Structures are given as structure tokens and as C-alpha cells.
Amino acid sequence: MEVSLIILAALIAVGFVLYLHDRHGRKKAEAKGLEEPAFNEPEEQCCGMHITCERDSLLASVSDKIEYYDDEELDAYKGRSADEYTEEEIEQFRDVLLTLLPEDIAGWGRSIQLRGIELPAPVKEELLMIVAEARREANVIPN
């Protein structure tokens, strides 16, 4: 019982010190004309370790220059939804993807997006897996 009272008292004391520190920071911020204390939070960056990050970094418009990778025929699919493709059309996308040079794959993904073409879901997942594997092999993503 005695030990739990000591722990409780220590927690209350630490909480009180943190409360006072926060109030002091807010008063200093108000004196400088800021609404909240200024904290230097690091900018969010893609580490390449997460599939969401992979999607964002791969498909983000790094450059607005459209490049063609001998795939002009895919422009016919501009404006179509990912779930509207037939198996034959999906294979057409897959054929282009699998014939690209490894260093061209991420650029092709960006180019497709810039051209307003939505990749079929299976091909999009394959593209993400290939890019993730290439980054892993290039030691961009630590194991």
C-alpha cells in the first residue's frame, strides 16, 4: 500500500511539473503573438518502407513532363475506371509493364498518371511490387 501511494504521489508531481511547463510555454508564445507554442516538427518524408508511401511516391507527379515508353496505344484508355477493363485489356497493360527496363518502371507509372490513364488494379499492384523490389535490391529500403 505504501509503495502504491509513493508511485501515485510521484505521478502527480510529474504531471504538475509538466502542466506548469506547458503553461509557461503557452505564455511565452502568447507574448510573442503566436497562438500555440512553436514546435519544430520534422517534415513527413517517405522512407519507402510502407505500401502507402510507395503508392504516394511512385504515383506523385514529380515532373509534369509526359514521357512515352512505346505505349501510345494505352492513351485509348484515358478516363476509364480501374474496374472497367477486360482481361484482354489488362494483359495489354501487363505486357507493357513487363517489357520495360527496370529503371523505366517508376517513370512509366508517373507517365500513365499524368496522361490521365488509370491502371487496372492487378497491374497497379504488380507495378508497386516491382518498384518495391527494385528499391530493396538497390538498398534504398534497408532490410
Side-chain angles (χ1 to χ4, degrees), residues 57-118:
S57 67
L58 174 64
L59 300 177
S61 299
V62 175
S63 163
D64 50 352
K65 180 183 177 223
I66 295 175
E67 285 189 50
Y68 284 90
Y69 296 83
D70 224 6
D71 64 344
E72 293 81 4
E73 70 276 7
L74 299 180
D75 283 340
Y77 302 117
K78 183 177 182 173
R80 287 191 50 194
S81 175
D83 58 354
E84 294 178 353
Y85 295 108
T86 66
E87 284 300 318
E88 193 174 286
E89 293 167 337
I90 292 171
E91 282 305 312
Q92 189 176 7
F93 279 96
R94 188 173 283 128
D95 287 343
V96 172
L97 173 63
L98 297 177
T99 58
L100 290 169
L101 295 172
E103 60 268 15
D104 290 340
I105 292 175
W108 179 73
R110 285 188 297 274
S111 172
I112 288 291
Q113 183 185 29
L114 289 171
R115 289 158 51 191
I117 302 168
E118 193 170 333

Side-chain angles (χ1 to χ4, degrees), residues 5-83:
L5 287 177
I6 292 172
I7 292 173
L8 181 61
L11 285 174
I12 290 172
V14 168
F16 185 70
V17 169
L18 289 174
Y19 170 75
L20 290 176
H21 179 68
D22 183 58
R23 279 191 55 151
H24 177 69
R26 289 182 192 271
K27 284 182 182 178
K28 283 177 69 175
E30 287 173 5
K32 290 180 180 178
L34 302 173
E35 289 181 20
E36 292 291 324
F39 294 104
N40 294 328
E41 294 182 10
E43 291 183 26
E44 289 185 32
Q45 294 181 348
C46 181
C47 63
M49 295 286 289
H50 306 93
I51 193 70
T52 304
C53 191
E54 286 289 327
R55 289 180 207 274
D56 295 342
S57 67
L58 174 64
L59 300 177
S61 299
V62 175
S63 163
D64 50 352
K65 180 183 177 223
I66 295 175
E67 285 189 50
Y68 284 90
Y69 296 83
D70 224 6
D71 64 344
E72 293 81 4
E73 70 276 7
L74 299 180
D75 283 340
Y77 302 117
K78 183 177 182 173
R80 287 191 50 194
S81 175
D83 58 354

